[in-house]
């Protein structure tokens, strides 16, 4: 069964450093998303991506964040200068949105720890 | 702004003791209501999509229902392996698929 994969599973970084989180969405899906979940809190939407551009973003997704689909399979989230409050689980999700299939499938997540 | 509230925050059941989880929502034009299961340290696992009031979906011991203001996840004769956090999320008609999640209900089923 196709699934969303994410690497690395755990990333530890120093405050102010850049990190890139990687995701491989399900191959025929058209919409891609990043969410984050701070420990003990709700899953929060960050950004959606369709047709090689951002279609929607939240207030959390400021100039420190960027997304890219560098090739036909990978989808990345970059945080340019990490802050302590960026520590969270980051989930990638993908959605087909064709033929009535509207659900999003999530990856296993990357735990980001900023020291 | 879309809002989702889940209750109770935590639910402890004995194996075989049926119960229901509640998800209340406000959304500008519901495009879909989704139930996910999340195990500790893992990503949300898709369970159900509901689109309109009166709709019901079933999968093994789980049954999801939808009204115009809330959704219920009914668990019949639960087993310890059903222990997890159950998340409810909504997608509004004005978004590109953005999901707004509730806080979740932590379900523990004791043998």
């Amino acid at each position: 069964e196709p699934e969303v994969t994410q690497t690395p599973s755990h990333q530890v970084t120093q405050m102010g450093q850049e990190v890139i989180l990687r995701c491989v969405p399900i191959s025929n899906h058209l919409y891609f998303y990043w969410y984050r979940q701070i420990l003990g809190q709700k899953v929060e939407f960050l950004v959606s991506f369709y047709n090689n551009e951002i279609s929607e973003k939240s207030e959390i997704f400021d100039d420190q964040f960027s997304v890219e689909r560098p090739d036909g399979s990978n989808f990345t989230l970059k945080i340019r200068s990490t802050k302590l409050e960026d520590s969270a689980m980051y989930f990638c999700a993908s959605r087909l949105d064709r033929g009535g299939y509207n659900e999003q499938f999530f990856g296993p997540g990357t735990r980001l720890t900023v020291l | 702004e879309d809002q989702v509230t889940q209750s109770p925050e935590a639910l402890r059941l004995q194996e075989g003791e049926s119960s229901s989880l509640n998800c209340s929502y406000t959304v500008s034009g519901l495009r879909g209501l989704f139930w996910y299961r999340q195990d500790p340290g893992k990503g949300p696992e898709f369970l159900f999509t509901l689109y309109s009031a009166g709709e019901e979906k079933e999968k093994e011991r789980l049954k999801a229902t939808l009204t115009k203001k809330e959704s219920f996840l009914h668990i019949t004769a639960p087993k310890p392996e059903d222990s997890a956090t159950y998340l409810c999320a909504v997608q509004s008609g004005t978004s590109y698929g953005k999901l707004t999640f509730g806080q979740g209900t932590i379900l523990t089923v004791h043998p």
Side-chain angles (χ1 to χ4, degrees):
Chain A
E1 184 176 328
E3 58 183 17
V4 177
T5 60
Q6 291 185 242
T7 55
S9 57
H10 191 189
Q11 174 90 47
V12 180
T13 189
Q14 295 290 327
M15 189 171 55
Q17 295 296 303
E18 175 183 288
V19 294
I20 298 176
L21 310 183
R22 292 182 167 80
C23 167
V24 179
I26 296 173
S27 61
N28 63 337
H29 282 193
L30 303 176
Y31 287 81
F32 313 111
Y33 304 85
W34 284 101
Y35 294 83
R36 79 173 187 188
Q37 186 176 31
I38 295 171
L39 187 64
Q41 297 187 22
K42 295 182 180 184
V43 176
E44 300 175 288
F45 168 79
L46 292 177
V47 65
S48 61
F49 193 85
Y50 171 72
N51 200 26
N52 282 319
E53 62 181 21
I54 291 174
S55 48
E56 190 173 9
K57 60 183 181 180
S58 72
E59 292 179 352
I60 302 168
F61 195 89
D62 61 22
D63 293 342
Q64 293 301 311
F65 291 86
S66 62
V67 289
E68 191 178 33
R69 188 157 162 82
D71 52 43
S73 60
N74 291 284
F75 180 50
T76 62
L77 174 69
K78 181 192 289 187
I79 308 175
R80 291 191 181 83
S81 179
T82 50
K83 304 171 187 172
L84 295 176
E85 54 264 37
D86 293 328
S87 295
M89 281 288 282
Y90 287 81
F91 296 110
C92 172
S94 68
R95 176 170 71 105
L96 178 59
D97 195 37
R98 182 178 289 170
Y101 294 100
N102 196 33
E103 51 270 10
Q104 294 181 29
F105 293 91
F106 285 75
T110 293
R111 180 174 300 282
L112 176 64
T113 302
V114 183
L115 302 176
Chain B
E1 182 181 338
D2 302 341
Q3 290 190 342
V4 179
T5 303
Q6 292 186 245
S7 61
E9 291 184 7
L11 181 63
R12 295 178 176 270
L13 299 174
Q14 288 297 124
E15 185 172 1
E17 179 187 2
S18 301
S19 189
S20 296
L21 282 56
N22 178 265
C23 170
S24 298
Y25 64 90
T26 55
V27 64
S28 52
L30 182 69
R31 189 174 176 195
L33 184 141
F34 305 85
W35 282 98
Y36 287 86
R37 168 188 171 132
Q38 186 176 32
D39 292 304
K42 303 288 180 63
E45 175 189 345
F46 171 73
L47 294 174
F48 302 109
T49 309
L50 300 166
Y51 292 106
S52 57
E55 190 174 0
E56 299 182 352
K57 295 272 180 74
E58 281 189 74
K59 179 181 178 181
E60 296 181 354
R61 295 178 292 282
L62 300 177
K63 178 180 176 180
T65 62
L66 182 65
T67 72
K68 289 185 178 180
K69 295 182 179 180
E70 56 191 352
S71 176
F72 292 93
L73 184 66
H74 307 277
I75 303 176
T76 302
K79 298 181 178 182
E81 53 262 41
D82 294 322
S83 298
T85 297
Y86 289 85
L87 303 175
C88 174
V90 296
Q91 180 189 343
S92 76
T94 58
S95 80
Y96 289 88
K98 164 192 167 183
L99 293 180
T100 300
F101 281 85
Q103 186 76 14
T105 293
I106 304 170
L107 175 66
T108 306
V109 181
H110 297 284

